């Protein structure tokens, strides 16, 4: 099966990501934005968890989270990787790159686009901190001022992964998989080097 239209795919990996996500959506895939996000702590110990990629920009992939949580703190190390996998379609996308915060204005826009309950949840959750009893969280939820939903918490917002490497994998017969990898030396490069890889 050819996933790229021969040996000369488009030169911009962001266009391939968009194309594959659109194909996944049209094929009935659910949670097409769910990515396995990998970070490391200050000791080099890795962590991985699923988050939702909310925006594909001209030069990066954006998601939102609590800045004070373990994930948010590890992202401040400035590097991350993520994996996007569509098992029924036998396709996978791997991304490695540098991390930066999005602007407060961009975070505000996305925050206000969320459901009210999700906005209030961002205020209530002290992400990754020890919770002695579930009742503490439930009580905080019941007692929160609904007007809080109108303003983004200062410790909540977006991160952007600006890739240095994007690899696409498509399953092949007899494990002769199809792999292409786009790389660049720094995040300001608009020209990518593309190579086909052995499976």
């Amino acid at each position: 099966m050819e996933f790229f239209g021969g040996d000369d795919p488009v030169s911009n990996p962001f266009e391939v990501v968009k194309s594959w996500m659109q194909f996944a959506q049209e094929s009935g895939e659910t949670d097409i934005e769910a990515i396995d996000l990998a970070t490391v702590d200050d000791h080099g110990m890795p962590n991985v968890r699923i988050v939702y990629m909310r925006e594909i920009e001209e030069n990066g992939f954006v998601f939102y989270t609590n800045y004070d949580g373990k994930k948010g703190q590890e992202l401040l190390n400035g590097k991350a990787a993520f994996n996007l996998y569509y098992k029924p379609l036998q396709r996978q996308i791997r991304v490695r790159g540098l991390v930066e915060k999005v602007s407060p204005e961009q975070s505000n826009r996305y925050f206000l686009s969320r459901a009210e309950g999700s906005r209030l949840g961002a205020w209530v959750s002290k992400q990754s901190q020890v919770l002695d009893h579930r009742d503490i969280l439930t009580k905080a939820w019941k007692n929160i001022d609904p007007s809080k939903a109108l303003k983004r918490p200062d410790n909540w917002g977006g991160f952007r992964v600006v890739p240095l490497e994007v690899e696409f994998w498509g399953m092949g017969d007899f494990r002769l998989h199809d792999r292409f990898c786009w790389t660049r030396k720094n995040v300001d490069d608009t020209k990518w080097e593309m190579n086909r890889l052995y499976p």
Side-chain angles (χ1 to χ4, degrees), residues 39-44 71-80 99:
T39 57
V40 294
D41 64 19
D42 291 336
H43 304 288
K71 173 169 72 267
Q73 290 300 298
E74 291 176 357
L75 286 163
L76 294 178
N77 289 332
K79 296 178 182 178
V99 178

Side-chain angles (χ1 to χ4, degrees), residues 24-43:
Q25 185 174 39
E26 293 171 352
S27 300
E29 283 287 294
T30 58
D31 292 331
I32 64 168
E33 298 172 326
I35 60 175
D36 298 295
L37 176 69
T39 57
V40 294
D41 64 19
D42 291 336
H43 304 288

Side-chain angles (χ1 to χ4, degrees), residues 80-163:
F82 68 80
N83 188 69
L84 183 62
Y85 181 48
Y86 301 127
K87 183 175 181 180
L89 302 180
Q90 302 178 330
R91 297 185 179 202
Q92 175 179 255
I93 303 170
R94 296 175 57 243
V95 174
R96 297 198 305 158
L98 306 184
V99 178
E100 61 190 24
K101 283 185 177 180
V102 306
S103 69
E105 293 77 17
Q106 184 171 347
S107 290
N108 289 341
R109 286 194 299 272
Y110 178 73
F111 183 78
L112 293 175
S113 76
R114 306 174 87 209
E116 180 179 292
S118 296
R119 283 179 269 153
L120 292 174
W123 280 97
V124 169
S125 177
K126 300 176 182 180
Q127 193 175 84
S128 302
Q129 294 186 27
V130 174
L131 177 62
D132 291 330
H133 299 285
R134 174 78 182 182
D135 290 347
I136 297 173
L137 180 63
T138 303
K139 184 177 180 180
W141 172 259
K142 288 180 178 178
N143 294 332
I144 190 170
D145 180 352
S147 69
K148 291 278 193 180
L150 301 177
K151 182 180 184 299
R152 175 182 62 89
D154 291 337
N155 66 342
W156 190 98
F159 284 102
R160 178 183 297 109
V161 177
V162 185

Side-chain angles (χ1 to χ4, degrees), residues 45-90:
M45 182 64 71
N47 265 318
V48 65
R49 79 289 282 165
I50 293 176
V51 301
Y52 283 92
M53 177 174 62
R54 294 306 188 185
E55 299 162 37
I56 302 178
E57 301 175 329
E58 182 178 343
N59 200 37
F61 304 94
V62 176
F63 56 89
Y64 295 84
T65 191
N66 185 308
Y67 291 145
D68 295 336
K70 185 176 292 186
K71 173 169 72 267
Q73 290 300 298
E74 291 176 357
L75 286 163
L76 294 178
N77 289 332
K79 296 178 182 178
F82 68 80
N83 188 69
L84 183 62
Y85 181 48
Y86 301 127
K87 183 175 181 180
L89 302 180
Q90 302 178 330

